[in-house]
Amino acid sequence: MSFVHFRTSTIGIQLEEALQELLSENVIEFDLMEIVRKEFDKAIVSILKKKVKDKPVIKGQLKHYQNCDNVWMFFVLRPEIRVSSYSLPIQLNCPIKIIACDTKMVSNIGKKKKRKKLVRLKNIKA
């Protein structure tokens, strides 16, 4: 499972522009570009898990929500965001979209391939 929604972040957009430029100049091939994208998805999830310690509190009017493959999306109108109990709240006039993933999915990134390889090795030895 890859989390492609991080590709719309500032760093994800910059990576995409750099990859497109390298592809247009024939420095890399499309297959390598896809590999870099997938590695970016894995790396950004790993870094966020390690570095982000504060949990925000968000209050607002829930416009709607949806769940697809254990990925939740919440659309909140006029949100008020407070990063910690001692910080001042930030009030936004525009709606926000929150994407939340099951932590089991995040911890299993990259493990499925290893399991498949182990199964293949067992079949060869048997």
Side-chain angles (χ1 to χ4, degrees):
M1 177 80 191
S2 66
F3 299 99
V4 297
H5 53 268
F6 291 118
R7 294 183 190 173
T8 59
S9 65
T10 304
I11 192 169
I13 292 169
Q14 294 299 318
L15 174 66
E16 186 63 31
E17 288 176 3
L19 289 173
Q20 290 295 333
E21 183 179 331
L22 291 171
L23 184 66
S24 67
E25 294 173 0
N26 294 325
V27 175
I28 62 171
E29 295 180 3
F30 185 77
D31 296 336
L32 181 59
M33 189 168 81
E34 285 299 314
I35 291 170
V36 170
R37 285 177 178 159
K38 288 179 183 177
E39 288 300 316
F40 169 77
D41 294 339
K42 291 178 191 176
I44 198 80
V45 169
S46 175
I47 291 295
L48 288 175
K49 279 177 60 176
K50 291 177 187 174
K51 299 290 182 180
V52 175
K53 302 296 181 202
D54 291 334
K55 296 182 180 179
V57 175
I58 301 171
K59 294 180 182 179
Q61 179 184 356
L62 183 63
K63 182 177 178 184
H64 70 277
Y65 62 92
Q66 60 189 35
N67 180 10
C68 181
D69 295 332
N70 288 332
V71 177
W72 286 89
M73 286 196 289
F74 300 93
F75 298 85
V76 181
L77 301 174
R78 295 180 300 282
E80 178 182 298
I81 303 169
R82 185 181 295 251
V83 177
S84 60
S85 60
Y86 56 84
S87 69
L88 295 174
I90 300 169
Q91 294 180 341
L92 302 174
N93 292 330
C94 58
I96 61 169
K97 176 170 71 170
I98 301 168
I99 301 173
C101 306
D102 188 2
T103 56
K104 292 177 185 174
M105 292 173 51
V106 173
S107 63
N108 288 334
I109 291 177
K111 292 184 180 178
K112 291 182 181 179
K113 291 181 183 178
K114 292 179 184 175
R115 288 182 185 159
K116 288 181 183 177
K117 288 179 184 176
L118 291 176
V119 170
R120 288 182 189 158
L121 290 175
K122 288 178 184 177
N123 290 340
I124 292 171
K125 289 180 181 177

